[in-house]
Amino acid sequence: MAKVEVRQLRKDFGALEVLLGVDLTVETGEVLCIIGPSGSGKSTLLRCINALERASAGCIIVDGHEITASHANINKLRENIGMVFQQFNLFPHLTVKKNIMMAPVDRKKLTKDQAEKKAMELLDRVGLSDKANEYPDNLSGGQQQRVAIARALAMDPDLMLFDEPTSALDPEMVGEVLSVIQQLAAGGMTMIIVTHEMGFAREVSDRVIFMDEGKIIEEGPPDQLFQSPQNQRTIDFLNKIL
């Protein structure tokens, strides 16, 4: 069964139409990268999949549950979807460890002791176990983003969404975040990644989608899309940035 199905998804903000009938299927264990110019609807598509934005029309099904249905229990469905944003959105008044423990304890998935053990395991996984008792402001941008990934993993999601996870980072910090994402991909995590990092998209994804003006223009395996794109709009975009 497909992990995510998006059918004829439309999203507008008043007179501004951002998504114009997007159809998309993501298989379990697939890593999908979405590329395209700013304003093409990439981030809005992710936010609709996580129900942070309400679709104007169409439907989104995750794990067989329609999250666009009026009766959908969004909070319950969202427990299985981890999301990592451009900005790290960590709580500055909580230590790194407590940032990660917060959601599992609040949602009553784990006791405090269990959540602390899990937080330390996740910090070890992202290479930051020595920063458990630091506050976010004492960390570099790359470290904060790795903590944000660990926090998203604390709820044991089976789908991870990344919205340009490296765009707020200095260039030398990009690699440390991308390597954590690559480890997740190697472990079989289903992921949808909006990114400007073309080399990373080529290396980590099973499939790449190019979006422009609210529509999917072209999609295919990374080698095909980057080496021999078929659509003129894709060709123009790649010529500008590669």
Side-chain angles (χ1 to χ4, degrees):
M1 183 175 76
K3 175 66 73 179
V4 181
E5 290 179 77
V6 178
R7 298 177 188 157
Q8 282 300 296
L9 180 66
R10 302 184 79 87
K11 176 64 185 174
D12 56 63
F13 297 95
L16 179 65
E17 293 184 308
V18 180
L19 296 173
L20 302 171
V22 172
D23 288 303
L24 174 66
T25 301
V26 184
E27 299 298 333
T28 300
E30 184 176 19
V31 179
L32 177 76
C33 281
I34 304 176
I35 64 170
S38 296
S40 57
K42 308 182 298 293
S43 294
T44 301
L45 173 58
L46 272 200
R47 292 174 70 83
C48 286
I49 292 171
N50 200 29
L52 289 169
E53 298 286 357
R54 272 261 181 233
S56 303
C59 80
I60 301 168
I61 298 164
V62 179
D63 282 328
H65 300 284
E66 188 185 339
I67 67 169
T68 39
S70 56
H71 58 271
N73 182 343
I74 296 302
N75 287 332
K76 188 73 186 152
L77 293 171
R78 212 183 264 148
E79 285 181 1
N80 295 320
I81 305 173
M83 184 141 182
V84 176
F85 301 86
Q86 294 178 35
Q87 303 302 333
F88 323 121
N89 296 354
L90 299 173
F91 294 107
H93 62 290
L94 296 179
T95 63
V96 161
K97 181 169 65 179
K98 289 200 167 144
N99 263 283
I100 297 168
M101 290 170 60
M102 191 173 174
V105 172
D106 277 2
R107 302 294 299 171
K108 298 187 169 47
K109 285 193 101 172
L110 298 175
T111 66
K112 276 195 173 163
D113 286 349
Q114 290 170 328
E116 184 169 8
K117 182 170 182 281
K118 174 97 177 180
M120 292 308 298
E121 286 168 1
L122 287 168
L123 283 170
D124 189 48
R125 191 167 165 188
V126 299
L128 290 172
S129 50
D130 59 328
K131 303 292 185 186
N133 296 311
E134 296 277 0
Y135 288 88
D137 286 351
N138 295 333
L139 304 184
S140 71
Q143 290 170 332
Q144 288 189 59
Q145 191 62 295
R146 283 188 279 158
V147 173
I149 294 171
R151 182 181 59 180
L153 292 171
M155 292 292 283
D156 283 327
D158 43 27
L159 170 65
M160 285 286 284
L161 308 177
F162 292 89
D163 186 9
E164 298 186 22
T166 59
S167 68
L169 300 179
D170 292 333
E172 67 266 25
M173 293 173 187
V174 168
E176 65 191 64
V177 173
L178 296 184
S179 74
V180 171
I181 298 173
Q182 279 174 310
Q183 287 168 30
L184 292 176
M189 175 71 77
T190 310
M191 294 191 276
I192 306 175
I193 305 166
V194 169
T195 184
H196 287 304
E197 301 283 339
M198 299 301 140
F200 171 72
R202 192 171 194 158
E203 201 174 320
V204 80
S205 62
D206 299 303
R207 185 162 49 117
V208 178
I209 277 178
F210 172 66
M211 283 186 75
D212 190 33
E213 297 183 341
K215 295 194 271 261
I216 292 175
I217 305 297
E218 186 167 352
E219 62 181 281
D223 283 350
Q224 177 196 310
L225 192 123
F226 286 115
Q227 286 177 354
S228 51
Q230 304 301 301
N231 187 284
Q232 189 58 48
R233 182 68 191 93
T234 318
I235 294 167
D236 293 344
F237 174 76
L238 292 173
N239 281 344
K240 272 186 194 153
I241 61 167
L242 289 180

